[in-house]
Amino acid sequence: MNTEVIIMLVIGIVAFLYASVGHGGASGYLAVLAIFGTQPELMKSSALVLNLFVSMSSFLQFYRSGHFSWPKFWPFALASVPMAFVGAGIPLSAGLYKQLLGVCLILAIGRILWRPKTTEDPTAPVPLLGGLAVGAVIGLLSGMLGIGGGIILSPVLLLMNWAKLKETAAISALFIFVNSVSGLSKLLTKGYVPDQQTLYWLAFAFVGGLLGGYAGARRFNVPTLRYALALGLFIATLKLLFT
């Protein structure tokens, strides 16, 4: 089995796992590409493309199951979308890009392993200024790195008691989508065109995302695969920070 086939299969598994918790999977795709020595420029653009389809397929599954809340979504998105566009245009050195991505992968590991209990307790409303501030910071970082920001937003929603578990997944999925659209739009204005390799990755990510979103919206859990994914992200983090 050649390297390209392995990358496509792993990307499909990553998409399944991330979509099951309402994420697009950019941090996972970036980890896979980092392990295989992909250039940062290709990593960033490819992750945004993959994010678009996986996050939307995941969102639709959670939305159809009645878990989405517009009032809790829009304050974050209002600030994050323009900041993601700005962030995508900020050039980063390869070293700084890898260091920032390594930090985000650490957050992703925590989010994957952390399984908060579902509760029926009422949640607090999202404060307008707090939502705008959080959205702006996450949006800027999302655009700079080529991630959707869900790995940062979802812990904030849960820790601040702004949303329940499934609600968080639905909000994060659409948040990732709109940020990815914004960041990718900036890259397109700079002449980016997806290559054939990225389209192959997209096919596997799309299928994995559809299956993962369906499974996650219906309380399916795959602990062994989650632990394997966390280990892979940890290996990628070490590679990014120390090579």
Side-chain angles (χ1 to χ4, degrees):
M1 186 179 296
N2 62 40
T3 301
E4 185 59 32
V5 173
I6 294 174
I7 292 176
M8 288 188 293
L9 291 175
V10 175
I11 282 177
I13 295 173
V14 168
F16 174 89
L17 292 169
Y18 273 76
S20 71
V21 293
H23 291 176
S27 57
Y29 311 138
L30 291 171
V32 172
L33 298 178
I35 290 174
F36 286 95
T38 306
Q39 293 299 314
E41 294 78 10
L42 179 59
M43 290 169 59
K44 178 177 178 178
S45 56
S46 297
L48 286 173
V49 172
L50 297 177
N51 250 3
L52 287 177
F53 292 87
V54 177
S55 60
M56 179 49 65
S57 61
S58 178
F59 167 72
L60 290 175
Q61 296 290 352
F62 282 99
Y63 179 81
R64 288 169 181 168
S65 297
H67 299 301
F68 180 68
S69 172
W70 173 257
K72 296 182 180 182
F73 166 77
W74 75 262
F76 300 106
L78 183 63
S80 71
V81 170
M83 294 305 293
F85 187 86
V86 172
I90 297 176
L92 297 176
S93 66
L96 179 57
Y97 178 84
K98 291 180 179 180
Q99 291 172 355
L100 290 175
L101 179 58
V103 172
C104 286
L105 291 185
I106 293 174
L107 294 175
I109 293 171
R111 176 62 187 92
I112 290 168
L113 296 180
W114 178 40
R115 301 292 291 179
K117 294 181 179 180
T118 301
T119 176
E120 296 303 320
D121 294 338
T123 57
V126 176
L128 179 58
L129 292 181
L132 292 174
V134 170
V137 173
I138 298 177
L140 182 64
L141 188 60
S142 299
M144 292 169 62
L145 298 181
I147 62 175
I151 58 170
I152 305 174
L153 178 63
S154 61
V156 172
L157 288 171
L158 293 170
L159 288 172
M160 299 300 294
N161 193 36
W162 287 341
K164 297 179 181 180
L165 185 59
K166 296 294 182 180
E167 199 174 41
T168 293
I171 293 169
S172 294
L174 188 58
F175 182 79
I176 291 166
F177 177 80
V178 296
N179 283 334
S180 298
V181 169
S182 180
L184 189 59
S185 297
K186 181 63 175 181
L187 296 182
L188 291 173
T189 64
K190 299 170 67 175
Y192 167 70
V193 177
D195 58 16
Q196 188 176 37
Q197 187 179 44
T198 300
L199 297 179
Y200 287 143
W201 296 342
L202 175 61
F204 278 77
F206 182 65
V207 173
L210 282 176
L211 295 175
Y214 177 85
R218 288 156 179 77
R219 300 177 182 273
F220 187 66
N221 191 16
V222 281
T224 302
L225 289 179
R226 285 195 292 108
Y227 295 142
L229 176 58
L231 177 60
L233 292 179
F234 179 70
I235 293 172
T237 301
L238 294 178
K239 181 178 177 64
L240 286 166
L241 296 179
F242 300 107
T243 61

mmCIF file with all atom_site columns, all heavy atoms in Angstrom, residues 71-97:
data_model
loop_
_atom_site.group_PDB
_atom_site.id
_atom_site.type_symbol
_atom_site.label_atom_id
_atom_site.label_alt_id
_atom_site.label_comp_id
_atom_site.label_asym_id
_atom_site.label_entity_id
_atom_site.label_seq_id
_atom_site.pdbx_PDB_ins_code
_atom_site.Cartn_x
_atom_site.Cartn_y
_atom_site.Cartn_z
_atom_site.occupancy
_atom_site.B_iso_or_equiv
_atom_site.pdbx_formal_charge
_atom_site.auth_seq_id
_atom_site.auth_comp_id
_atom_site.auth_asym_id
_atom_site.auth_atom_id
_atom_site.pdbx_PDB_model_num
ATOM 1   N N   . PRO A 1 71 ? -29.566 31.480 18.228 1.00 0.00 ? 71 PRO A N   1
ATOM 2   C CA  . PRO A 1 71 ? -29.164 32.553 19.146 1.00 0.00 ? 71 PRO A CA  1
ATOM 3   C C   . PRO A 1 71 ? -27.799 32.333 19.786 1.00 0.00 ? 71 PRO A C   1
ATOM 4   O O   . PRO A 1 71 ? -27.102 33.302 20.124 1.00 0.00 ? 71 PRO A O   1
ATOM 5   C CB  . PRO A 1 71 ? -30.272 32.549 20.206 1.00 0.00 ? 71 PRO A CB  1
ATOM 6   C CG  . PRO A 1 71 ? -31.455 31.968 19.510 1.00 0.00 ? 71 PRO A CG  1
ATOM 7   C CD  . PRO A 1 71 ? -30.887 30.920 18.610 1.00 0.00 ? 71 PRO A CD  1
ATOM 8   N N   . LYS A 1 72 ? -27.412 31.086 19.961 1.00 0.00 ? 72 LYS A N   1
ATOM 9   C CA  . LYS A 1 72 ? -26.106 30.792 20.564 1.00 0.00 ? 72 LYS A CA  1
ATOM 10  C C   . LYS A 1 72 ? -24.988 30.739 19.530 1.00 0.00 ? 72 LYS A C   1
ATOM 11  O O   . LYS A 1 72 ? -23.814 30.726 19.876 1.00 0.00 ? 72 LYS A O   1
ATOM 12  C CB  . LYS A 1 72 ? -26.163 29.466 21.325 1.00 0.00 ? 72 LYS A CB  1
ATOM 13  C CG  . LYS A 1 72 ? -27.117 29.505 22.512 1.00 0.00 ? 72 LYS A CG  1
ATOM 14  C CD  . LYS A 1 72 ? -27.118 28.200 23.265 1.00 0.00 ? 72 LYS A CD  1
ATOM 15  C CE  . LYS A 1 72 ? -28.077 28.279 24.453 1.00 0.00 ? 72 LYS A CE  1
ATOM 16  N NZ  . LYS A 1 72 ? -28.084 27.034 25.247 1.00 0.00 ? 72 LYS A NZ  1
ATOM 17  N N   . PHE A 1 73 ? -25.360 30.721 18.257 1.00 0.00 ? 73 PHE A N   1
ATOM 18  C CA  . PHE A 1 73 ? -24.361 30.635 17.191 1.00 0.00 ? 73 PHE A CA  1
ATOM 19  C C   . PHE A 1 73 ? -23.912 31.987 16.666 1.00 0.00 ? 73 PHE A C   1
ATOM 20  O O   . PHE A 1 73 ? -22.719 32.250 16.502 1.00 0.00 ? 73 PHE A O   1
ATOM 21  C CB  . PHE A 1 73 ? -24.930 29.802 16.030 1.00 0.00 ? 73 PHE A CB  1
ATOM 22  C CG  . PHE A 1 73 ? -24.151 29.921 14.755 1.00 0.00 ? 73 PHE A CG  1
ATOM 23  C CD1 . PHE A 1 73 ? -22.951 29.246 14.587 1.00 0.00 ? 73 PHE A CD1 1
ATOM 24  C CD2 . PHE A 1 73 ? -24.608 30.725 13.714 1.00 0.00 ? 73 PHE A CD2 1
ATOM 25  C CE1 . PHE A 1 73 ? -22.212 29.355 13.410 1.00 0.00 ? 73 PHE A CE1 1
ATOM 26  C CE2 . PHE A 1 73 ? -23.886 30.838 12.539 1.00 0.00 ? 73 PHE A CE2 1
ATOM 27  C CZ  . PHE A 1 73 ? -22.693 30.159 12.388 1.00 0.00 ? 73 PHE A CZ  1
ATOM 28  N N   . TRP A 1 74 ? -24.881 32.877 16.399 1.00 0.00 ? 74 TRP A N   1
ATOM 29  C CA  . TRP A 1 74 ? -24.563 34.062 15.600 1.00 0.00 ? 74 TRP A CA  1
ATOM 30  C C   . TRP A 1 74 ? -23.577 35.037 16.246 1.00 0.00 ? 74 TRP A C   1
ATOM 31  O O   . TRP A 1 74 ? -22.782 35.660 15.515 1.00 0.00 ? 74 TRP A O   1
ATOM 32  C CB  . TRP A 1 74 ? -25.847 34.783 15.169 1.00 0.00 ? 74 TRP A CB  1
ATOM 33  C CG  . TRP A 1 74 ? -26.564 35.568 16.230 1.00 0.00 ? 74 TRP A CG  1
ATOM 34  C CD1 . TRP A 1 74 ? -27.628 35.174 16.957 1.00 0.00 ? 74 TRP A CD1 1
ATOM 35  C CD2 . TRP A 1 74 ? -26.266 36.902 16.661 1.00 0.00 ? 74 TRP A CD2 1
ATOM 36  N NE1 . TRP A 1 74 ? -28.024 36.155 17.827 1.00 0.00 ? 74 TRP A NE1 1
ATOM 37  C CE2 . TRP A 1 74 ? -27.197 37.236 17.658 1.00 0.00 ? 74 TRP A CE2 1
ATOM 38  C CE3 . TRP A 1 74 ? -25.306 37.849 16.302 1.00 0.00 ? 74 TRP A CE3 1
ATOM 39  C CZ2 . TRP A 1 74 ? -27.194 38.464 18.312 1.00 0.00 ? 74 TRP A CZ2 1
ATOM 40  C CZ3 . TRP A 1 74 ? -25.299 39.075 16.945 1.00 0.00 ? 74 TRP A CZ3 1
ATOM 41  C CH2 . TRP A 1 74 ? -26.228 39.384 17.943 1.00 0.00 ? 74 TRP A CH2 1
ATOM 42  N N   . PRO A 1 75 ? -23.548 35.219 17.589 1.00 0.00 ? 75 PRO A N   1
ATOM 43  C CA  . PRO A 1 75 ? -22.549 36.169 18.127 1.00 0.00 ? 75 PRO A CA  1
ATOM 44  C C   . PRO A 1 75 ? -21.114 35.753 17.822 1.00 0.00 ? 75 PRO A C   1
ATOM 45  O O   . PRO A 1 75 ? -20.261 36.590 17.524 1.00 0.00 ? 75 PRO A O   1
ATOM 46  C CB  . PRO A 1 75 ? -22.824 36.152 19.636 1.00 0.00 ? 75 PRO A CB  1
ATOM 47  C CG  . PRO A 1 75 ? -24.251 35.708 19.758 1.00 0.00 ? 75 PRO A CG  1
ATOM 48  C CD  . PRO A 1 75 ? -24.425 34.716 18.663 1.00 0.00 ? 75 PRO A CD  1
ATOM 49  N N   . PHE A 1 76 ? -20.841 34.446 17.882 1.00 0.00 ? 76 PHE A N   1
ATOM 50  C CA  . PHE A 1 76 ? -19.496 33.958 17.577 1.00 0.00 ? 76 PHE A CA  1
ATOM 51  C C   . PHE A 1 76 ? -19.176 34.139 16.094 1.00 0.00 ? 76 PHE A C   1
ATOM 52  O O   . PHE A 1 76 ? -18.101 34.614 15.724 1.00 0.00 ? 76 PHE A O   1
ATOM 53  C CB  . PHE A 1 76 ? -19.377 32.477 17.953 1.00 0.00 ? 76 PHE A CB  1
ATOM 54  C CG  . PHE A 1 76 ? -19.629 32.189 19.399 1.00 0.00 ? 76 PHE A CG  1
ATOM 55  C CD1 . PHE A 1 76 ? -20.799 31.590 19.813 1.00 0.00 ? 76 PHE A CD1 1
ATOM 56  C CD2 . PHE A 1 76 ? -18.689 32.535 20.364 1.00 0.00 ? 76 PHE A CD2 1
ATOM 57  C CE1 . PHE A 1 76 ? -21.040 31.318 21.152 1.00 0.00 ? 76 PHE A CE1 1
ATOM 58  C CE2 . PHE A 1 76 ? -18.917 32.278 21.710 1.00 0.00 ? 76 PHE A CE2 1
ATOM 59  C CZ  . PHE A 1 76 ? -20.093 31.664 22.098 1.00 0.00 ? 76 PHE A CZ  1
ATOM 60  N N   . ALA A 1 77 ? -20.123 33.773 15.241 1.00 0.00 ? 77 ALA A N   1
ATOM 61  C CA  . ALA A 1 77 ? -19.900 33.828 13.801 1.00 0.00 ? 77 ALA A CA  1
ATOM 62  C C   . ALA A 1 77 ? -19.764 35.263 13.292 1.00 0.00 ? 77 ALA A C   1
ATOM 63  O O   . ALA A 1 77 ? -18.980 35.535 12.376 1.00 0.00 ? 77 ALA A O   1
ATOM 64  C CB  . ALA A 1 77 ? -21.029 33.118 13.061 1.00 0.00 ? 77 ALA A CB  1
ATOM 65  N N   . LEU A 1 78 ? -20.524 36.188 13.872 1.00 0.00 ? 78 LEU A N   1
ATOM 66  C CA  . LEU A 1 78 ? -20.505 37.572 13.417 1.00 0.00 ? 78 LEU A CA  1
ATOM 67  C C   . LEU A 1 78 ? -19.101 38.167 13.463 1.00 0.00 ? 78 LEU A C   1
ATOM 68  O O   . LEU A 1 78 ? -18.692 38.916 12.565 1.00 0.00 ? 78 LEU A O   1
ATOM 69  C CB  . LEU A 1 78 ? -21.455 38.410 14.278 1.00 0.00 ? 78 LEU A CB  1
ATOM 70  C CG  . LEU A 1 78 ? -21.619 39.889 13.884 1.00 0.00 ? 78 LEU A CG  1
ATOM 71  C CD1 . LEU A 1 78 ? -22.231 40.010 12.494 1.00 0.00 ? 78 LEU A CD1 1
ATOM 72  C CD2 . LEU A 1 78 ? -22.474 40.621 14.906 1.00 0.00 ? 78 LEU A CD2 1
ATOM 73  N N   . ALA A 1 79 ? -18.353 37.825 14.500 1.00 0.00 ? 79 ALA A N   1
ATOM 74  C CA  . ALA A 1 79 ? -16.990 38.353 14.625 1.00 0.00 ? 79 ALA A CA  1
ATOM 75  C C   . ALA A 1 79 ? -15.960 37.449 13.981 1.00 0.00 ? 79 ALA A C   1
ATOM 76  O O   . ALA A 1 79 ? -14.927 37.914 13.476 1.00 0.00 ? 79 ALA A O   1
ATOM 77  C CB  . ALA A 1 79 ? -16.646 38.549 16.101 1.00 0.00 ? 79 ALA A CB  1
ATOM 78  N N   . SER A 1 80 ? -16.211 36.149 13.981 1.00 0.00 ? 80 SER A N   1
ATOM 79  C CA  . SER A 1 80 ? -15.188 35.212 13.503 1.00 0.00 ? 80 SER A CA  1
ATOM 80  C C   . SER A 1 80 ? -15.022 35.229 11.987 1.00 0.00 ? 80 SER A C   1
ATOM 81  O O   . SER A 1 80 ? -13.908 35.085 11.478 1.00 0.00 ? 80 SER A O   1
ATOM 82  C CB  . SER A 1 80 ? -15.517 33.786 13.961 1.00 0.00 ? 80 SER A CB  1
ATOM 83  O OG  . SER A 1 80 ? -16.637 33.268 13.278 1.00 0.00 ? 80 SER A OG  1
ATOM 84  N N   . VAL A 1 81 ? -16.113 35.395 11.250 1.00 0.00 ? 81 VAL A N   1
ATOM 85  C CA  . VAL A 1 81 ? -16.038 35.318 9.780  1.00 0.00 ? 81 VAL A CA  1
ATOM 86  C C   . VAL A 1 81 ? -15.110 36.386 9.187  1.00 0.00 ? 81 VAL A C   1
ATOM 87  O O   . VAL A 1 81 ? -14.195 36.055 8.410  1.00 0.00 ? 81 VAL A O   1
ATOM 88  C CB  . VAL A 1 81 ? -17.441 35.399 9.164  1.00 0.00 ? 81 VAL A CB  1
ATOM 89  C CG1 . VAL A 1 81 ? -17.359 35.575 7.647  1.00 0.00 ? 81 VAL A CG1 1
ATOM 90  C CG2 . VAL A 1 81 ? -18.233 34.134 9.495  1.00 0.00 ? 81 VAL A CG2 1
ATOM 91  N N   . PRO A 1 82 ? -15.259 37.667 9.522  1.00 0.00 ? 82 PRO A N   1
ATOM 92  C CA  . PRO A 1 82 ? -14.326 38.652 8.963  1.00 0.00 ? 82 PRO A CA  1
ATOM 93  C C   . PRO A 1 82 ? -12.901 38.467 9.471  1.00 0.00 ? 82 PRO A C   1
ATOM 94  O O   . PRO A 1 82 ? -11.935 38.696 8.730  1.00 0.00 ? 82 PRO A O   1
ATOM 95  C CB  . PRO A 1 82 ? -14.912 39.993 9.414  1.00 0.00 ? 82 PRO A CB  1
ATOM 96  C CG  . PRO A 1 82 ? -15.778 39.676 10.573 1.00 0.00 ? 82 PRO A CG  1
ATOM 97  C CD  . PRO A 1 82 ? -16.333 38.320 10.310 1.00 0.00 ? 82 PRO A CD  1
ATOM 98  N N   . MET A 1 83 ? -12.741 38.018 10.717 1.00 0.00 ? 83 MET A N   1
ATOM 99  C CA  . MET A 1 83 ? -11.399 37.832 11.253 1.00 0.00 ? 83 MET A CA  1
ATOM 100 C C   . MET A 1 83 ? -10.708 36.622 10.626 1.00 0.00 ? 83 MET A C   1
ATOM 101 O O   . MET A 1 83 ? -9.480  36.607 10.470 1.00 0.00 ? 83 MET A O   1
ATOM 102 C CB  . MET A 1 83 ? -11.453 37.682 12.774 1.00 0.00 ? 83 MET A CB  1
ATOM 103 C CG  . MET A 1 83 ? -11.904 38.945 13.498 1.00 0.00 ? 83 MET A CG  1
ATOM 104 S SD  . MET A 1 83 ? -10.896 40.397 13.071 1.00 0.00 ? 83 MET A SD  1
ATOM 105 C CE  . MET A 1 83 ? -9.320  39.945 13.799 1.00 0.00 ? 83 MET A CE  1
ATOM 106 N N   . ALA A 1 84 ? -11.468 35.605 10.252 1.00 0.00 ? 84 ALA A N   1
ATOM 107 C CA  . ALA A 1 84 ? -10.887 34.455 9.557  1.00 0.00 ? 84 ALA A CA  1
ATOM 108 C C   . ALA A 1 84 ? -10.359 34.878 8.189  1.00 0.00 ? 84 ALA A C   1
ATOM 109 O O   . ALA A 1 84 ? -9.317  34.402 7.728  1.00 0.00 ? 84 ALA A O   1
ATOM 110 C CB  . ALA A 1 84 ? -11.920 33.342 9.413  1.00 0.00 ? 84 ALA A CB  1
ATOM 111 N N   . PHE A 1 85 ? -11.100 35.779 7.531  1.00 0.00 ? 85 PHE A N   1
ATOM 112 C CA  . PHE A 1 85 ? -10.655 36.304 6.231  1.00 0.00 ? 85 PHE A CA  1
ATOM 113 C C   . PHE A 1 85 ? -9.350  37.069 6.390  1.00 0.00 ? 85 PHE A C   1
ATOM 114 O O   . PHE A 1 85 ? -8.417  36.915 5.598  1.00 0.00 ? 85 PHE A O   1
ATOM 115 C CB  . PHE A 1 85 ? -11.746 37.217 5.656  1.00 0.00 ? 85 PHE A CB  1
ATOM 116 C CG  . PHE A 1 85 ? -11.476 37.673 4.252  1.00 0.00 ? 85 PHE A CG  1
ATOM 117 C CD1 . PHE A 1 85 ? -11.851 36.892 3.178  1.00 0.00 ? 85 PHE A CD1 1
ATOM 118 C CD2 . PHE A 1 85 ? -10.858 38.892 4.013  1.00 0.00 ? 85 PHE A CD2 1
ATOM 119 C CE1 . PHE A 1 85 ? -11.611 37.324 1.867  1.00 0.00 ? 85 PHE A CE1 1
ATOM 120 C CE2 . PHE A 1 85 ? -10.605 39.320 2.722  1.00 0.00 ? 85 PHE A CE2 1
ATOM 121 C CZ  . PHE A 1 85 ? -10.988 38.537 1.644  1.00 0.00 ? 85 PHE A CZ  1
ATOM 122 N N   . VAL A 1 86 ? -9.279  37.884 7.437  1.00 0.00 ? 86 VAL A N   1
ATOM 123 C CA  . VAL A 1 86 ? -8.054  38.644 7.708  1.00 0.00 ? 86 VAL A CA  1
ATOM 124 C C   . VAL A 1 86 ? -6.907  37.697 8.045  1.00 0.00 ? 86 VAL A C   1
ATOM 125 O O   . VAL A 1 86 ? -5.787  37.834 7.535  1.00 0.00 ? 86 VAL A O   1
ATOM 126 C CB  . VAL A 1 86 ? -8.278  39.629 8.879  1.00 0.00 ? 86 VAL A CB  1
ATOM 127 C CG1 . VAL A 1 86 ? -6.954  40.278 9.295  1.00 0.00 ? 86 VAL A CG1 1
ATOM 128 C CG2 . VAL A 1 86 ? -9.286  40.700 8.480  1.00 0.00 ? 86 VAL A CG2 1
ATOM 129 N N   . GLY A 1 87 ? -7.178  36.718 8.902  1.00 0.00 ? 87 GLY A N   1
ATOM 130 C CA  . GLY A 1 87 ? -6.131  35.800 9.334  1.00 0.00 ? 87 GLY A CA  1
ATOM 131 C C   . GLY A 1 87 ? -5.548  34.992 8.205  1.00 0.00 ? 87 GLY A C   1
ATOM 132 O O   . GLY A 1 87 ? -4.345  34.707 8.190  1.00 0.00 ? 87 GLY A O   1
ATOM 133 N N   . ALA A 1 88 ? -6.382  34.613 7.226  1.00 0.00 ? 88 ALA A N   1
ATOM 134 C CA  . ALA A 1 88 ? -5.893  33.814 6.100  1.00 0.00 ? 88 ALA A CA  1
ATOM 135 C C   . ALA A 1 88 ? -4.887  34.578 5.251  1.00 0.00 ? 88 ALA A C   1
ATOM 136 O O   . ALA A 1 88 ? -4.092  33.977 4.522  1.00 0.00 ? 88 ALA A O   1
ATOM 137 C CB  . ALA A 1 88 ? -7.062  33.358 5.238  1.00 0.00 ? 88 ALA A CB  1
ATOM 138 N N   . GLY A 1 89 ? -4.913  35.906 5.334  1.00 0.00 ? 89 GLY A N   1
ATOM 139 C CA  . GLY A 1 89 ? -3.983  36.716 4.553  1.00 0.00 ? 89 GLY A CA  1
ATOM 140 C C   . GLY A 1 89 ? -2.706  37.069 5.298  1.00 0.00 ? 89 GLY A C   1
ATOM 141 O O   . GLY A 1 89 ? -1.836  37.744 4.749  1.00 0.00 ? 89 GLY A O   1
ATOM 142 N N   . ILE A 1 90 ? -2.580  36.631 6.548  1.00 0.00 ? 90 ILE A N   1
ATOM 143 C CA  . ILE A 1 90 ? -1.384  36.932 7.346  1.00 0.00 ? 90 ILE A CA  1
ATOM 144 C C   . ILE A 1 90 ? -0.325  35.868 7.096  1.00 0.00 ? 90 ILE A C   1
ATOM 145 O O   . ILE A 1 90 ? -0.536  34.693 7.385  1.00 0.00 ? 90 ILE A O   1
ATOM 146 C CB  . ILE A 1 90 ? -1.719  36.980 8.850  1.00 0.00 ? 90 ILE A CB  1
ATOM 147 C CG1 . ILE A 1 90 ? -2.714  38.106 9.129  1.00 0.00 ? 90 ILE A CG1 1
ATOM 148 C CG2 . ILE A 1 90 ? -0.450  37.178 9.679  1.00 0.00 ? 90 ILE A CG2 1
ATOM 149 C CD1 . ILE A 1 90 ? -3.171  38.178 10.574 1.00 0.00 ? 90 ILE A CD1 1
ATOM 150 N N   . PRO A 1 91 ? 0.824   36.249 6.538  1.00 0.00 ? 91 PRO A N   1
ATOM 151 C CA  . PRO A 1 91 ? 1.871   35.252 6.267  1.00 0.00 ? 91 PRO A CA  1
ATOM 152 C C   . PRO A 1 91 ? 2.576   34.832 7.557  1.00 0.00 ? 91 PRO A C   1
ATOM 153 O O   . PRO A 1 91 ? 2.860   35.655 8.421  1.00 0.00 ? 91 PRO A O   1
ATOM 154 C CB  . PRO A 1 91 ? 2.832   36.007 5.331  1.00 0.00 ? 91 PRO A CB  1
ATOM 155 C CG  . PRO A 1 91 ? 2.648   37.454 5.690  1.00 0.00 ? 91 PRO A CG  1
ATOM 156 C CD  . PRO A 1 91 ? 1.206   37.605 6.096  1.00 0.00 ? 91 PRO A CD  1
ATOM 157 N N   . LEU A 1 92 ? 2.816   33.544 7.682  1.00 0.00 ? 92 LEU A N   1
ATOM 158 C CA  . LEU A 1 92 ? 3.539   33.006 8.827  1.00 0.00 ? 92 LEU A CA  1
ATOM 159 C C   . LEU A 1 92 ? 4.764   32.239 8.339  1.00 0.00 ? 92 LEU A C   1
ATOM 160 O O   . LEU A 1 92 ? 4.701   31.545 7.324  1.00 0.00 ? 92 LEU A O   1
ATOM 161 C CB  . LEU A 1 92 ? 2.648   32.054 9.638  1.00 0.00 ? 92 LEU A CB  1
ATOM 162 C CG  . LEU A 1 92 ? 1.386   32.630 10.292 1.00 0.00 ? 92 LEU A CG  1
ATOM 163 C CD1 . LEU A 1 92 ? 0.607   31.502 10.959 1.00 0.00 ? 92 LEU A CD1 1
ATOM 164 C CD2 . LEU A 1 92 ? 1.744   33.700 11.305 1.00 0.00 ? 92 LEU A CD2 1
ATOM 165 N N   . SER A 1 93 ? 5.849   32.340 9.066  1.00 0.00 ? 93 SER A N   1
ATOM 166 C CA  . SER A 1 93 ? 7.012   31.525 8.744  1.00 0.00 ? 93 SER A CA  1
ATOM 167 C C   . SER A 1 93 ? 6.676   30.063 9.024  1.00 0.00 ? 93 SER A C   1
ATOM 168 O O   . SER A 1 93 ? 5.782   29.756 9.826  1.00 0.00 ? 93 SER A O   1
ATOM 169 C CB  . SER A 1 93 ? 8.214   31.946 9.589  1.00 0.00 ? 93 SER A CB  1
ATOM 170 O OG  . SER A 1 93 ? 7.988   31.669 10.965 1.00 0.00 ? 93 SER A OG  1
ATOM 171 N N   . ALA A 1 94 ? 7.391   29.156 8.370  1.00 0.00 ? 94 ALA A N   1
ATOM 172 C CA  . ALA A 1 94 ? 7.118   27.730 8.562  1.00 0.00 ? 94 ALA A CA  1
ATOM 173 C C   . ALA A 1 94 ? 7.284   27.342 10.027 1.00 0.00 ? 94 ALA A C   1
ATOM 174 O O   . ALA A 1 94 ? 6.490   26.554 10.569 1.00 0.00 ? 94 ALA A O   1
ATOM 175 C CB  . ALA A 1 94 ? 8.052   26.894 7.687  1.00 0.00 ? 94 ALA A CB  1
ATOM 176 N N   . GLY A 1 95 ? 8.278   27.910 10.697 1.00 0.00 ? 95 GLY A N   1
ATOM 177 C CA  . GLY A 1 95 ? 8.523   27.581 12.097 1.00 0.00 ? 95 GLY A CA  1
ATOM 178 C C   . GLY A 1 95 ? 7.398   28.026 13.002 1.00 0.00 ? 95 GLY A C   1
ATOM 179 O O   . GLY A 1 95 ? 6.925   27.256 13.853 1.00 0.00 ? 95 GLY A O   1
ATOM 180 N N   . LEU A 1 96 ? 6.933   29.278 12.832 1.00 0.00 ? 96 LEU A N   1
ATOM 181 C CA  . LEU A 1 96 ? 5.854   29.800 13.664 1.00 0.00 ? 96 LEU A CA  1
ATOM 182 C C   . LEU A 1 96 ? 4.555   29.068 13.385 1.00 0.00 ? 96 LEU A C   1
ATOM 183 O O   . LEU A 1 96 ? 3.779   28.773 14.304 1.00 0.00 ? 96 LEU A O   1
ATOM 184 C CB  . LEU A 1 96 ? 5.683   31.300 13.416 1.00 0.00 ? 96 LEU A CB  1
ATOM 185 C CG  . LEU A 1 96 ? 4.571   32.000 14.213 1.00 0.00 ? 96 LEU A CG  1
ATOM 186 C CD1 . LEU A 1 96 ? 4.785   31.808 15.713 1.00 0.00 ? 96 LEU A CD1 1
ATOM 187 C CD2 . LEU A 1 96 ? 4.504   33.477 13.859 1.00 0.00 ? 96 LEU A CD2 1
ATOM 188 N N   . TYR A 1 97 ? 4.309   28.764 12.121 1.00 0.00 ? 97 TYR A N   1
ATOM 189 C CA  . TYR A 1 97 ? 3.099   28.027 11.756 1.00 0.00 ? 97 TYR A CA  1
ATOM 190 C C   . TYR A 1 97 ? 3.058   26.679 12.478 1.00 0.00 ? 97 TYR A C   1
ATOM 191 O O   . TYR A 1 97 ? 2.038   26.298 13.063 1.00 0.00 ? 97 TYR A O   1
ATOM 192 C CB  . TYR A 1 97 ? 3.052   27.808 10.243 1.00 0.00 ? 97 TYR A CB  1
ATOM 193 C CG  . TYR A 1 97 ? 1.857   27.009 9.780  1.00 0.00 ? 97 TYR A CG  1
ATOM 194 C CD1 . TYR A 1 97 ? 0.628   27.624 9.557  1.00 0.00 ? 97 TYR A CD1 1
ATOM 195 C CD2 . TYR A 1 97 ? 1.954   25.630 9.589  1.00 0.00 ? 97 TYR A CD2 1
ATOM 196 C CE1 . TYR A 1 97 ? -0.478  26.886 9.148  1.00 0.00 ? 97 TYR A CE1 1
ATOM 197 C CE2 . TYR A 1 97 ? 0.850   24.885 9.180  1.00 0.00 ? 97 TYR A CE2 1
ATOM 198 C CZ  . TYR A 1 97 ? -0.355  25.523 8.961  1.00 0.00 ? 97 TYR A CZ  1
ATOM 199 O OH  . TYR A 1 97 ? -1.437  24.787 8.567  1.00 0.00 ? 97 TYR A OH  1
#
